[in-house]
Amino acid sequence: MIPVRSDVRIWLATGCTDMRRGMFGLALQVQQGLKRDPHAGDLYIFRGRRGDLIKVLWHDGIGMSLYTKRLDRGRFVWPAASDGVVAITASQMACLLEAIDWRNPRTTWRPQAAG
């Protein structure tokens, strides 16, 4: 789990990103493509073309971190916009990282209560 402070903004980079890019390539994309400062402390989440891989870029004030998650099956839920960024909350990011539909979590599968 990424320890996110309550004042940190979380951005989804809409569209597909070249997942061959590393930390510096994604930071350059944030700076040039999204017109934001990658060192400001915000989290930027990128998704690959197939939808089963995401990368999270974050500068915590000490250094830059790059987190990667690949799903064994299924795809990450992603906005339909083709370019730009979408802001989400920390709880929506937690759902996203667990492959839960963060747009409407009530409609996703949940285990039955023991009874």
Side-chain angles (χ1 to χ4, degrees):
M1 183 66 181
I2 301 171
V4 180
R5 296 187 329 259
S6 61
D7 62 334
V8 171
R9 292 178 305 224
I10 303 166
W11 304 98
L12 295 180
T14 58
C16 296
T17 300
D18 182 357
M19 288 289 113
R20 296 174 294 183
R21 290 184 178 185
M23 185 182 310
F24 299 113
L26 292 173
L28 190 63
Q29 182 176 338
V30 169
Q31 189 174 13
Q32 292 180 347
L34 305 177
K35 306 290 189 232
R36 299 187 184 278
D37 181 9
H39 299 94
D42 296 344
L43 273 101
Y44 296 93
I45 305 175
F46 304 89
R47 188 183 84 152
R49 183 172 308 281
R50 290 189 325 210
D52 64 342
L53 176 68
I54 61 170
K55 290 187 177 182
V56 180
L57 184 70
W58 179 39
H59 193 281
D60 62 1
I62 299 171
M64 188 81 70
S65 299
L66 181 64
Y67 300 93
T68 304
K69 182 163 187 174
R70 181 182 307 271
L71 295 177
D72 291 336
R73 60 187 169 119
R75 295 185 174 174
F76 290 103
V77 175
W78 215 250
S82 61
D83 60 349
V85 293
V86 173
I88 62 171
T89 65
S91 61
Q92 288 172 325
M93 182 185 76
C95 288
L96 173 73
L97 293 176
E98 294 299 321
I100 298 172
D101 188 348
W102 53 270
R103 299 168 301 178
N104 192 4
R106 289 179 288 143
T107 63
T108 58
W109 177 85
R110 299 201 189 288
Q112 297 296 321

